[in-house]
Short mmCIF file of all heavy atoms in Angstrom, two decimals:
data_model
loop_
_atom_site.label_atom_id
_atom_site.label_comp_id
_atom_site.label_asym_id
_atom_site.label_seq_id
_atom_site.Cartn_x
_atom_site.Cartn_y
_atom_site.Cartn_z
N HIS A 129 136.22 89.37 117.55
CA HIS A 129 135.03 89.65 116.53
C HIS A 129 135.70 90.05 115.21
O HIS A 129 136.37 91.10 115.16
CB HIS A 129 134.31 90.83 117.15
CG HIS A 129 133.62 90.53 118.44
ND1 HIS A 129 132.35 90.31 118.53
CD2 HIS A 129 134.10 90.43 119.63
CE1 HIS A 129 131.93 90.06 119.78
NE2 HIS A 129 133.03 90.12 120.49
N VAL A 130 135.58 89.20 114.25
CA VAL A 130 136.25 89.42 112.98
C VAL A 130 135.26 90.23 112.17
O VAL A 130 134.10 89.80 111.90
CB VAL A 130 136.55 88.07 112.20
CG1 VAL A 130 137.20 88.35 110.93
CG2 VAL A 130 137.49 87.26 113.27
N ILE A 131 135.74 91.42 111.69
CA ILE A 131 134.90 92.37 110.86
C ILE A 131 134.99 91.95 109.41
O ILE A 131 135.94 92.37 108.73
CB ILE A 131 135.39 93.74 111.08
CG1 ILE A 131 135.57 94.17 112.50
CG2 ILE A 131 134.44 94.77 110.35
CD1 ILE A 131 134.40 94.16 113.30
N VAL A 132 134.09 91.10 108.97
CA VAL A 132 134.12 90.34 107.74
C VAL A 132 134.09 91.30 106.54
O VAL A 132 134.63 90.89 105.46
CB VAL A 132 133.07 89.18 107.69
CG1 VAL A 132 131.68 89.76 107.36
CG2 VAL A 132 133.42 88.07 106.82
N ASP A 133 133.55 92.39 106.72
CA ASP A 133 133.46 93.35 105.62
C ASP A 133 134.80 94.05 105.43
O ASP A 133 134.92 95.01 104.53
CB ASP A 133 132.29 94.33 105.58
CG ASP A 133 131.98 94.97 106.93
OD1 ASP A 133 132.42 94.36 107.93
OD2 ASP A 133 131.51 96.02 106.93
N GLY A 134 135.75 93.76 106.32
CA GLY A 134 137.02 94.54 106.29
C GLY A 134 138.23 93.66 106.35
O GLY A 134 139.30 94.08 106.76
N VAL A 135 138.10 92.40 105.96
CA VAL A 135 139.18 91.45 105.86
C VAL A 135 139.38 90.88 104.48
O VAL A 135 138.24 90.57 103.77
CB VAL A 135 139.17 90.25 106.91
CG1 VAL A 135 139.19 90.83 108.24
CG2 VAL A 135 137.92 89.48 106.76
N SER A 136 140.53 90.73 103.96
CA SER A 136 140.76 90.24 102.63
C SER A 136 142.06 89.61 102.41
O SER A 136 142.90 89.58 103.27
CB SER A 136 140.44 91.34 101.52
OG SER A 136 140.45 90.79 100.27
N SER A 137 142.21 89.08 101.23
CA SER A 137 143.51 88.45 100.86
C SER A 137 143.88 88.69 99.37
O SER A 137 142.90 89.11 98.61
CB SER A 137 143.49 86.94 101.01
OG SER A 137 143.33 86.55 102.38
N GLN A 138 145.07 88.45 98.86
CA GLN A 138 145.23 88.52 97.47
C GLN A 138 144.35 87.55 96.65
O GLN A 138 143.86 87.93 95.64
CB GLN A 138 146.71 88.12 97.21
CG GLN A 138 147.74 89.28 97.87
CD GLN A 138 149.21 88.89 97.38
OE1 GLN A 138 149.46 88.84 96.14
NE2 GLN A 138 150.03 88.62 98.38
N ASN A 139 144.27 86.33 97.13
CA ASN A 139 143.45 85.35 96.48
C ASN A 139 142.08 85.26 97.23
O ASN A 139 142.09 84.86 98.41
CB ASN A 139 144.14 83.99 96.49
CG ASN A 139 143.38 82.86 95.83
OD1 ASN A 139 142.25 83.00 95.43
ND2 ASN A 139 143.93 81.71 95.75
N HIS A 140 141.10 85.73 96.61
CA HIS A 140 139.82 85.78 97.32
C HIS A 140 139.27 84.53 97.84
O HIS A 140 138.43 84.44 98.69
CB HIS A 140 138.80 86.64 96.48
CG HIS A 140 138.33 86.06 95.17
ND1 HIS A 140 137.53 84.88 95.15
CD2 HIS A 140 138.61 86.20 93.94
CE1 HIS A 140 137.40 84.53 93.81
NE2 HIS A 140 138.07 85.37 93.10
N SER A 141 139.72 83.41 97.15
CA SER A 141 139.15 82.19 97.60
C SER A 141 139.72 81.69 98.96
O SER A 141 139.09 80.91 99.59
CB SER A 141 139.68 81.08 96.63
OG SER A 141 139.14 81.29 95.33
N GLU A 142 140.86 82.38 99.41
CA GLU A 142 141.32 82.19 100.68
C GLU A 142 140.41 82.74 101.86
O GLU A 142 140.47 82.17 103.08
CB GLU A 142 142.77 82.77 100.91
CG GLU A 142 143.83 82.17 100.00
CD GLU A 142 144.47 80.97 100.62
OE1 GLU A 142 143.94 80.35 101.53
OE2 GLU A 142 145.38 80.38 99.94
N ILE A 143 139.62 83.68 101.50
CA ILE A 143 138.89 84.42 102.54
C ILE A 143 137.94 83.48 103.28
O ILE A 143 137.91 83.41 104.52
CB ILE A 143 138.21 85.66 101.96
CG1 ILE A 143 139.22 86.60 101.37
CG2 ILE A 143 137.48 86.42 103.13
CD1 ILE A 143 138.65 87.69 100.49
N GLU A 144 137.10 82.93 102.49
CA GLU A 144 135.99 82.02 103.02
C GLU A 144 136.63 80.97 103.96
O GLU A 144 136.05 80.69 105.05
CB GLU A 144 135.14 81.49 101.88
CG GLU A 144 134.05 80.59 102.40
CD GLU A 144 133.20 80.08 101.20
OE1 GLU A 144 133.28 80.63 100.09
OE2 GLU A 144 132.51 79.07 101.49
N ILE A 145 137.72 80.37 103.50
CA ILE A 145 138.29 79.21 104.31
C ILE A 145 138.87 79.82 105.59
O ILE A 145 138.78 79.17 106.58
CB ILE A 145 139.36 78.54 103.40
CG1 ILE A 145 138.74 77.91 102.23
CG2 ILE A 145 140.16 77.53 104.35
CD1 ILE A 145 139.80 77.43 101.21
N ALA A 146 139.51 80.96 105.53
CA ALA A 146 140.10 81.50 106.80
C ALA A 146 139.03 81.98 107.68
O ALA A 146 139.15 81.69 108.92
CB ALA A 146 140.90 82.75 106.27
N VAL A 147 137.93 82.53 107.23
CA VAL A 147 136.85 82.89 108.07
C VAL A 147 136.29 81.77 108.75
O VAL A 147 135.96 81.76 109.97
CB VAL A 147 135.82 83.86 107.31
CG1 VAL A 147 134.57 84.07 108.22
CG2 VAL A 147 136.47 85.15 106.86
N ALA A 148 136.03 80.70 107.94
CA ALA A 148 135.50 79.46 108.55
C ALA A 148 136.36 78.86 109.74
O ALA A 148 135.90 78.54 110.67
CB ALA A 148 135.20 78.43 107.47
N ARG A 149 137.69 78.96 109.40
CA ARG A 149 138.61 78.44 110.42
C ARG A 149 138.54 79.34 111.69
O ARG A 149 138.66 78.74 112.78
CB ARG A 149 140.07 78.54 109.78
CG ARG A 149 141.22 78.25 110.72
CD ARG A 149 141.22 76.73 111.05
NE ARG A 149 142.36 76.38 111.92
CZ ARG A 149 142.34 76.36 113.35
NH1 ARG A 149 141.16 76.64 113.92
NH2 ARG A 149 143.31 76.09 114.00
N MET A 150 138.46 80.61 111.43
CA MET A 150 138.34 81.53 112.72
C MET A 150 137.02 81.21 113.42
O MET A 150 137.05 81.23 114.73
CB MET A 150 138.51 82.96 112.33
CG MET A 150 139.98 83.36 111.87
SD MET A 150 140.20 85.07 111.59
CE MET A 150 139.59 85.25 109.84
N ARG A 151 136.07 81.13 112.73
CA ARG A 151 134.69 80.81 113.34
C ARG A 151 134.70 79.37 114.19
O ARG A 151 134.28 79.39 115.31
CB ARG A 151 133.62 80.80 112.40
CG ARG A 151 132.25 80.56 112.96
CD ARG A 151 131.17 80.66 111.91
NE ARG A 151 129.80 80.76 112.46
CZ ARG A 151 128.69 80.97 111.81
NH1 ARG A 151 128.74 81.05 110.54
NH2 ARG A 151 127.62 81.03 112.46
N SER A 152 135.35 78.44 113.51
CA SER A 152 135.38 77.09 114.24
C SER A 152 136.21 77.23 115.50
O SER A 152 136.07 76.40 116.48
CB SER A 152 136.00 76.00 113.31
OG SER A 152 137.29 76.28 112.94
N ALA A 153 137.09 78.11 115.49
CA ALA A 153 138.10 78.25 116.66
C ALA A 153 137.44 79.06 117.80
O ALA A 153 137.96 79.03 118.92
CB ALA A 153 139.41 78.94 116.28
N GLY A 154 136.33 79.70 117.54
CA GLY A 154 135.50 80.46 118.53
C GLY A 154 135.46 81.93 118.29
O GLY A 154 134.82 82.62 119.10
N ALA A 155 135.92 82.42 117.19
CA ALA A 155 135.76 83.86 116.82
C ALA A 155 134.28 84.13 116.45
O ALA A 155 133.61 83.30 115.88
CB ALA A 155 136.75 84.28 115.74
N VAL A 156 133.90 85.41 116.73
CA VAL A 156 132.57 85.83 116.31
C VAL A 156 132.71 86.47 114.88
O VAL A 156 133.60 87.34 114.68
CB VAL A 156 131.92 86.89 117.18
CG1 VAL A 156 130.69 87.44 116.68
CG2 VAL A 156 131.75 86.21 118.59
N ILE A 157 132.05 85.98 113.96
CA ILE A 157 132.05 86.55 112.65
C ILE A 157 130.97 87.57 112.41
O ILE A 157 129.81 87.28 112.55
CB ILE A 157 131.91 85.49 111.54
CG1 ILE A 157 132.97 84.37 111.75
CG2 ILE A 157 132.10 86.10 110.15
CD1 ILE A 157 134.41 84.76 111.87
N THR A 158 131.39 88.89 112.17
CA THR A 158 130.32 89.85 112.24
C THR A 158 130.57 91.06 111.23
O THR A 158 131.51 90.86 110.43
CB THR A 158 130.22 90.52 113.75
OG1 THR A 158 129.21 91.50 113.78
CG2 THR A 158 131.49 91.16 114.10
N THR A 159 129.90 92.17 111.21
CA THR A 159 130.10 93.20 110.37
C THR A 159 130.39 94.47 111.14
O THR A 159 130.05 94.56 112.30
CB THR A 159 128.96 93.34 109.40
OG1 THR A 159 127.83 93.86 110.17
CG2 THR A 159 128.47 92.11 108.74
N SER A 160 130.91 95.44 110.40
CA SER A 160 131.37 96.72 111.03
C SER A 160 129.98 97.40 111.54
O SER A 160 130.01 97.95 112.64
CB SER A 160 131.92 97.75 110.06
OG SER A 160 131.25 97.83 108.88
N GLU A 161 128.89 97.42 110.82
CA GLU A 161 127.75 98.05 111.32
C GLU A 161 127.18 97.37 112.40
O GLU A 161 126.74 98.00 113.47
CB GLU A 161 126.69 98.10 110.14
CG GLU A 161 125.51 98.87 110.48
CD GLU A 161 124.50 99.22 109.36
OE1 GLU A 161 125.02 99.33 108.19
OE2 GLU A 161 123.27 99.23 109.56
N SER A 162 127.11 96.05 112.45
CA SER A 162 126.62 95.28 113.45
C SER A 162 127.31 95.68 114.88
O SER A 162 126.72 95.85 115.90
CB SER A 162 126.68 93.77 113.26
OG SER A 162 126.13 93.11 114.32
N VAL A 163 128.69 95.59 114.80
CA VAL A 163 129.40 95.82 116.08
C VAL A 163 129.26 97.14 116.57
O VAL A 163 129.26 97.51 117.84
CB VAL A 163 130.98 95.48 115.99
CG1 VAL A 163 131.09 93.94 115.67
CG2 VAL A 163 131.61 96.38 114.87
N LEU A 164 129.09 98.23 115.70
CA LEU A 164 128.84 99.55 116.23
C LEU A 164 127.71 99.76 117.03
O LEU A 164 127.64 100.36 117.98
CB LEU A 164 129.03 100.58 115.00
CG LEU A 164 130.41 100.66 114.25
CD1 LEU A 164 130.38 101.69 113.21
CD2 LEU A 164 131.44 101.02 115.26
N PHE A 165 126.52 99.11 116.48
CA PHE A 165 125.38 99.15 117.26
C PHE A 165 125.41 98.27 118.49
O PHE A 165 124.70 98.72 119.48
CB PHE A 165 124.15 98.90 116.38
CG PHE A 165 123.86 99.84 115.44
CD1 PHE A 165 123.80 99.74 114.02
CD2 PHE A 165 123.45 101.15 115.88
CE1 PHE A 165 123.47 100.67 113.11
CE2 PHE A 165 123.11 102.29 114.90
CZ PHE A 165 123.15 101.98 113.61
N GLN A 166 126.08 97.22 118.48
CA GLN A 166 126.30 96.50 119.77
C GLN A 166 127.10 97.33 120.77
O GLN A 166 126.75 97.21 121.98
CB GLN A 166 127.22 95.21 119.32
CG GLN A 166 126.35 94.00 118.98
CD GLN A 166 127.27 92.90 118.89
OE1 GLN A 166 127.88 92.60 117.91
NE2 GLN A 166 127.21 92.04 119.93
N LEU A 167 127.98 98.08 120.31
CA LEU A 167 128.80 98.83 121.29
C LEU A 167 127.99 99.99 122.03
O LEU A 167 128.26 100.28 123.13
CB LEU A 167 129.91 99.50 120.58
CG LEU A 167 131.14 98.46 120.24
CD1 LEU A 167 132.03 99.04 119.17
CD2 LEU A 167 131.88 98.14 121.49
N VAL A 168 126.97 100.48 121.37
CA VAL A 168 126.19 101.47 121.92
C VAL A 168 124.78 100.94 122.64
O VAL A 168 124.38 101.46 123.60
CB VAL A 168 125.81 102.63 121.00
CG1 VAL A 168 127.05 103.50 120.65
CG2 VAL A 168 125.08 102.19 119.81
N GLN A 169 124.39 99.84 122.04
CA GLN A 169 123.21 99.05 122.59
C GLN A 169 121.87 99.79 122.76
O GLN A 169 120.87 99.10 122.67
CB GLN A 169 123.53 98.60 123.99
CG GLN A 169 124.82 97.71 124.12
CD GLN A 169 125.09 97.15 125.44
OE1 GLN A 169 124.10 96.90 126.24
NE2 GLN A 169 126.34 96.94 125.84
N ASP A 170 121.88 101.10 122.85
CA ASP A 170 120.47 101.75 122.98
C ASP A 170 120.67 103.10 122.35
O ASP A 170 121.53 103.85 122.35
CB ASP A 170 120.34 102.02 124.58
CG ASP A 170 119.05 102.34 124.93
OD1 ASP A 170 118.39 103.24 124.32
OD2 ASP A 170 118.59 101.81 126.06
N ALA A 171 119.43 103.52 121.71
CA ALA A 171 119.34 104.71 121.13
C ALA A 171 119.43 105.91 122.05
O ALA A 171 119.65 107.02 121.58
CB ALA A 171 117.98 104.82 120.32
#
Side-chain angles (χ1 to χ4, degrees):
H129 298 252
V130 180
I131 311 299
V132 77
D133 47 331
V135 297
S136 191
S137 295
Q138 294 183 58
N139 181 353
H140 63 74
S141 298
E142 294 278 7
I143 303 169
E144 183 178 337
I145 297 168
V147 170
R149 174 74 178 90
M150 289 184 277
R151 184 176 190 175
S152 69
V156 176
I157 308 305
T158 186
T159 68
S160 56
E161 183 171 328
S162 180
V163 296
L164 292 183
F165 284 120
Q166 272 188 276
L167 285 163
V168 294
Q169 297 185 35
D170 194 316

